[in-house]
Amino acid sequence: MIKEHYEIVRKAIGTDIQLCVVSKKRSIEEIRSYYDAGERIFGENHAQELLEKAGQLPEDIAWHFIGHLQRNKVRSILPFVSCIQSLDSYALADEIEKEAAKLNKTIPVLLEFHMAEMDEHKTGHDPSDALPFAKYCIEKKHLDVGGIMVMGPHTSDTKAIEDVFHKTYDLFKELQNIYTAEKIHTLSMGMSSDYKTAIACGTTMVRIGTYLFEED
Ligand SMILES: *Cc1c(COP(=O)(O)O)cnc(C)c1O
């Protein structure tokens, strides 16, 4: 654990913004150091890795799935995840609904949108279909849609990042207006390179890996 970086992040986010410690590729010992510091939300992007880690770490960890999720992996991770942040298609919504119903469980999810227009590595649902997609997911009995997840554009141009984050915030507010702020409570936005910009743009949850685990 990089104590100095951790203190900087904790100070920057205050008490209102949640921290998802992105623990992909990190060892059990590294994760445990953040657990011991009081962190409970950890983000993983591979099903197999999440399952292996969940079996070796305390049960009160809230594992958040943040990567592209293949439909054939849904069943295996559902018993272990507290939230799927990367719900990005109708087909995936159908699959999570089907498997969650079998477990008689309601799964918290965030809708991931692809807001950075010029970015090649496209993850997330098309934002021009945001409202129909949100409605479709919210009507699923075993999905609890709590908000939005987004990746900032791959650039050092702060202005371009702000544009994407402002657009995402507007969409978040639009969903809150339709479905209430009580239901749509989470805007997961901001990583190591852009979390400060995300804070300025109204994020409610940052997902940080590299900065918490690596020296400058
Ligand atoms: C890896 C990852 C992060 C964390 O990125 P860092 O640059 O290591 O902070 C956040 N969100 C998603 C979806 C990721 O895959």
Side-chain angles (χ1 to χ4, degrees), residues 22 24 45 66 149 151 191-193 207-211:
V22 176
K24 65 190 188 202
N45 66 347
I66 61 172
M149 190 268 260
M151 299 262 267
M191 330 201 301
S192 292
S193 57
R207 308 177 308 274
I208 304 184
T210 312
Y211 186 66

Side-chain angles (χ1 to χ4, degrees), residues 44-63:
E44 290 284 338
N45 66 347
H46 281 112
Q48 190 54 35
E49 194 177 335
L50 186 150
L51 295 177
E52 280 166 21
K53 287 172 173 173
Q56 298 176 65
L57 283 154
E59 283 189 8
D60 63 341
I61 285 182
W63 294 102

Side-chain angles (χ1 to χ4, degrees), residues 127-142:
S128 70
D129 186 55
L131 296 187
F133 183 54
K135 182 168 191 288
Y136 185 84
C137 295
I138 285 169
E139 284 172 356
K140 297 276 185 200
K141 230 177 123 192
H142 298 86

Side-chain angles (χ1 to χ4, degrees), residues 48-165:
Q48 190 54 35
E49 194 177 335
L50 186 150
L51 295 177
E52 280 166 21
K53 287 172 173 173
Q56 298 176 65
L57 283 154
E59 283 189 8
D60 63 341
I61 285 182
W63 294 102
H64 283 213
F65 197 85
I66 61 172
H68 180 67
L69 180 56
Q70 290 170 285
R71 277 178 284 159
N72 63 5
K73 299 285 166 61
V74 169
R75 183 203 305 237
S76 66
I77 67 162
L78 276 199
F80 302 97
V81 285
S82 295
C83 180
I84 295 173
Q85 293 201 10
S86 44
L87 175 47
D88 60 359
S89 73
Y90 289 96
L92 183 58
D94 290 345
E95 185 67 19
I96 299 171
E97 170 63 24
K98 186 180 91 190
E99 294 300 329
K102 285 187 201 162
L103 296 175
N104 200 15
K105 210 176 154 179
T106 300
I107 310 295
V109 297
L110 301 179
L111 308 178
E112 182 183 359
F113 290 107
H114 175 72
M115 305 298 288
E117 275 151 28
M118 338 81 49
D119 247 23
E120 316 104 47
H121 75 214
K122 288 197 182 178
T123 63
H125 193 74
D126 177 358
S128 70
D129 186 55
L131 296 187
F133 183 54
K135 182 168 191 288
Y136 185 84
C137 295
I138 285 169
E139 284 172 356
K140 297 276 185 200
K141 230 177 123 192
H142 298 86
L143 298 188
D144 179 9
V145 177
I148 295 178
M149 190 268 260
V150 75
M151 299 262 267
H154 235 49
T155 172
S156 53
D157 177 359
T158 307
K159 177 80 176 58
I161 296 170
E162 277 171 1
D163 283 349
V164 167
F165 286 175

Side-chain angles (χ1 to χ4, degrees), residues 16-18 109-111 113 115 127 130-131 134 138 145-150 164-189 198 201-205:
D16 292 340
I17 298 173
Q18 291 185 294
V109 297
L110 301 179
L111 308 178
F113 290 107
M115 305 298 288
L131 296 187
I138 285 169
V145 177
I148 295 178
M149 190 268 260
V150 75
V164 167
F165 286 175
H166 284 316
K167 268 197 293 181
T168 312
Y169 182 81
D170 289 346
L171 178 57
F172 177 61
K173 283 285 153 186
E174 195 177 354
L175 291 181
Q176 285 190 329
N177 285 337
I178 301 171
Y179 298 106
T180 77
E182 199 175 28
K183 173 153 181 71
I184 307 297
H185 43 72
T186 300
L187 175 56
S188 174
M189 179 168 96
C201 295
T203 187
T204 76
M205 179 186 279

